[in-house]
């Protein structure tokens, strides 16, 4: 559920267009993208610190693999990032969204 919500926020962000005037007086249309990391408790972590760390790892995975995406529990993080086997595709009732990464589009 948290992955779906994060993806809807991501799409809503991108659909908003901003008109910015340049120094030369031209109009420039900008859009905003968002990268999200989603982790679930207790599936991905047994403490708040571990939960935030997993969400943060997934946020950086979203950025590393192309940005403007949501990486959640079903995304397999390579061993090189976690030092352990990839995270299993499981969900639980409590999820956390990591910090949105806002970028100029």
């Amino acid at each position: 559920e948290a992955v779906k919500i994060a993806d809807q926020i991501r799409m809503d962000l991108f659909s908003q267009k901003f008109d910015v005037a340049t120094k030369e007086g031209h109009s420039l249309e900008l859009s905003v993208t968002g990268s999200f990391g989603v982790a679930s408790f207790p599936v991905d972590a047994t403490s708040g610190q571990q939960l935030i760390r997993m969400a943060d790892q997934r946020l950086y995975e979203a950025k590393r693999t192309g940005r403007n995406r949501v990486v959640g529990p079903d995304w397999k993080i390579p061993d090189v990032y976690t030092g352990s086997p990839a995270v299993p595709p499981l969900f639980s009732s409590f999820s956390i969204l990591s910090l949105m990464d806002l970028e100029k589009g």
Side-chain angles (χ1 to χ4, degrees):
E1 182 70 19
V3 172
K4 289 179 186 178
I5 292 168
D7 200 45
Q8 185 61 52
I9 292 169
R10 183 191 63 78
M11 290 186 298
D12 289 347
L13 280 171
F14 188 69
S15 71
Q16 299 296 313
K17 304 299 179 196
F18 302 93
D19 290 321
V20 178
T22 66
K23 290 180 184 178
E24 296 81 22
H26 298 99
S27 181
L28 180 65
E29 186 177 84
L30 300 177
S31 60
V32 177
T33 64
S35 299
F36 295 80
V38 179
S40 298
F41 180 87
V43 174
D44 296 322
T46 57
S47 73
Q49 185 176 11
Q50 289 174 341
L51 187 64
I52 291 170
R53 184 177 185 159
M54 180 57 73
D56 194 51
Q57 285 178 340
R58 290 178 177 160
L59 168 63
Y60 283 101
E61 183 69 7
K63 290 178 179 184
R64 189 187 73 75
T65 58
R67 301 181 181 252
N68 195 29
R69 66 188 65 222
V70 177
V71 173
D74 57 342
W75 186 280
K76 294 190 186 297
I77 299 174
D79 291 357
V80 68
Y81 295 110
T82 62
S84 62
V87 177
L90 300 173
F91 292 88
S92 76
S93 59
F94 179 76
S95 298
I96 186 170
L97 296 177
S98 186
L99 180 66
M100 274 189 314
D101 176 44
L102 299 179
E103 310 162 328
K104 252 193 323 189

